Amino acid sequence: FVFSCSKENYLSKFEEGVEQVLDKVSPSIVAIMVRDANGKTKKIGSGVVISDNMILTTENSVGSDNNLTIKLQNGKELNSEQIDLICSDYETNISFIKLKTGGLPKVELADNNDIKVGSMGIAVGNTFYSKGVKVSWGTIGRSWIGGEDPYDEALLTLDAILGSDAGGTPVFNNSGQLIGIVEGKIEGEENLALILPVSTCQKVQQAIEKEGYIDRGWIGVYIDLIGEKNKKELQMKVSQVIGMSPAFKSGVQAGDLIIRLNGKKINHPLQVRKLISMSEPGTKLKFTLNRDGRILEKELRVEPAPRLIGLRRCSNRSI
């Protein structure tokens, strides 16, 4: 009744709002093209300018390729010689492309705490088949996926129709502030995309600016949580030790119960993962273990975590 009696065109108002967002953010959207040795484009992704010489995208949009071409919305193309540095973090799937020259228009970043479930997300990216930017919109949700890494917060979701080449596509709120970038789609959910929140991107940028990369710690164990939850008798059991890993070299064995780490009681494998991951390679850690009723102290030296392709954010991997 309200819509039928009103003279206002609410669809037109919605379109105007989207157009205002596009006018604000489109100059900051870039196409990222990876070319082979013959100059043929192998894949295309999107990115977004977050400072006058810094582009944010996903690691799998860049990968290990250095033969990149970045196309701006004004038609200008930047080749590999104009790129100063590419900093990628495999664990969170975030990459930063630093250019040798500045002056690019940057976007405004949203506050992660202000992102509400059910609010609108506007994806503005590139595709082979569109002139300029491709626009999609849908509703924002929150996911349980992610969050095990110290730099990685739980992913957002976007219920919208996106192309197969949506990696790195920035997603904005209705004020044109950056909510995050598209990481990929959920298998079996055609129109549901996973979004790396801007808060994670900021954390990774702050960490990666120091060295150009993030080295996470690793000791080479698998840990199971055993016991009855309702009786609060949970214990952490080492289920497997990787050969020649720091844990193996220090004498940690499968079946050991972890009581303390550096003198502090640990209640969940997630705590162990985060503490070890945040430890720089070379750091010494002391484990207090229970082995068949005997209390043992084992000191080991943390090593850099291996890059296990295909196991990004997978809990079924060694710590």
Side-chain angles (χ1 to χ4, degrees), residues 162-230:
L162 298 172
S164 58
D165 49 6
T169 297
V171 180
F172 301 90
N173 61 20
N174 58 19
S175 297
Q177 296 173 320
L178 182 66
I179 294 174
I181 56 175
V182 175
E183 177 172 28
K185 294 183 178 181
I186 297 178
E187 187 175 355
E189 297 285 347
E190 184 65 24
N191 296 331
L192 198 62
L194 293 172
I195 310 297
L196 290 156
V198 68
S199 52
T200 293
C201 299
Q202 288 175 300
K203 285 183 181 178
V204 172
Q205 183 182 8
Q206 291 169 1
I208 217 168
E209 280 180 340
K210 296 179 180 179
E211 301 291 340
Y213 60 91
I214 301 175
D215 249 347
R216 290 169 176 81
W218 177 79
I219 62 170
V221 296
Y222 289 88
I223 299 176
D224 291 337
L225 195 59
I226 62 173
E228 298 182 35
K229 292 182 180 180
N230 56 346

Side-chain angles (χ1 to χ4, degrees), residues 227-298:
E228 298 182 35
K229 292 182 180 180
N230 56 346
K231 292 184 179 180
K232 297 183 180 180
E233 295 178 354
L234 297 176
Q235 294 178 303
M236 279 177 297
K237 180 182 178 180
V238 177
S239 58
Q240 184 181 347
V241 180
I242 306 298
M244 302 310 295
S245 67
F248 177 86
K249 294 173 185 176
S250 70
V252 176
Q253 298 179 9
D256 289 346
L257 299 178
I258 300 175
I259 301 174
R260 292 182 181 84
L261 175 55
N262 284 347
K264 296 182 180 180
K265 188 174 181 181
I266 303 295
N267 300 312
H268 197 278
L270 187 58
Q271 287 180 279
V272 180
R273 183 182 294 278
K274 286 190 173 182
L275 283 169
I276 294 174
S277 179
M278 292 186 73
S279 298
E280 294 184 5
T283 302
K284 290 184 179 179
L285 296 178
K286 181 179 289 186
F287 278 82
T288 304
L289 307 173
N290 183 333
R291 182 180 298 169
D292 299 324
R294 293 183 296 137
I295 305 301
L296 305 174
E297 299 283 349
K298 297 291 183 181

Side-chain angles (χ1 to χ4, degrees), residues 26-247:
S26 290
S28 303
I29 310 300
V30 304
I32 300 171
M33 293 166 285
V34 180
R35 304 184 188 277
D36 61 20
N38 298 319
K40 184 179 179 180
T41 300
K42 296 193 296 182
K43 60 182 178 180
I44 185 171
S46 298
V48 60
V49 180
I50 56 171
S51 70
D52 72 340
N53 70 335
M54 188 78 74
I55 295 167
L56 167 66
T57 187
T58 52
E59 189 265 352
N60 55 15
S61 293
V62 177
S64 58
D65 295 279
N66 292 318
N67 191 8
L68 301 180
T69 298
I70 299 169
K71 189 172 184 178
L72 309 180
Q73 293 305 314
N74 61 11
K76 183 178 180 181
E77 292 189 357
L78 307 175
N79 57 33
S80 298
E81 294 179 354
Q82 294 163 291
I83 296 174
D84 182 34
L85 191 66
I86 299 176
C87 299
S88 298
D89 178 46
Y90 174 79
E91 184 70 26
T92 56
N93 194 11
I94 291 173
S95 277
F96 298 95
I97 303 174
K98 185 179 180 182
L99 304 176
K100 292 180 179 179
T101 57
L104 298 181
K106 64 179 182 180
V107 295
E108 183 181 349
L109 307 183
D111 186 333
N112 194 56
N113 295 321
D114 294 336
I115 300 172
K116 307 298 182 186
V117 172
S119 60
M120 186 172 71
I122 304 172
V124 187
N126 293 279
T127 174
F128 276 121
Y129 308 107
S130 66
K131 183 179 181 181
V133 295
K134 177 184 177 183
V135 185
S136 302
W137 57 78
T139 53
I140 293 292
R142 290 191 179 273
S143 168
W144 54 266
I145 300 172
E148 291 195 358
D149 184 77
Y151 299 99
D152 195 13
E153 295 190 19
L155 303 178
L156 301 172
T157 61
L158 178 67
D159 194 348
I161 299 174
L162 298 172
S164 58
D165 49 6
T169 297
V171 180
F172 301 90
N173 61 20
N174 58 19
S175 297
Q177 296 173 320
L178 182 66
I179 294 174
I181 56 175
V182 175
E183 177 172 28
K185 294 183 178 181
I186 297 178
E187 187 175 355
E189 297 285 347
E190 184 65 24
N191 296 331
L192 198 62
L194 293 172
I195 310 297
L196 290 156
V198 68
S199 52
T200 293
C201 299
Q202 288 175 300
K203 285 183 181 178
V204 172
Q205 183 182 8
Q206 291 169 1
I208 217 168
E209 280 180 340
K210 296 179 180 179
E211 301 291 340
Y213 60 91
I214 301 175
D215 249 347
R216 290 169 176 81
W218 177 79
I219 62 170
V221 296
Y222 289 88
I223 299 176
D224 291 337
L225 195 59
I226 62 173
E228 298 182 35
K229 292 182 180 180
N230 56 346
K231 292 184 179 180
K232 297 183 180 180
E233 295 178 354
L234 297 176
Q235 294 178 303
M236 279 177 297
K237 180 182 178 180
V238 177
S239 58
Q240 184 181 347
V241 180
I242 306 298
M244 302 310 295
S245 67

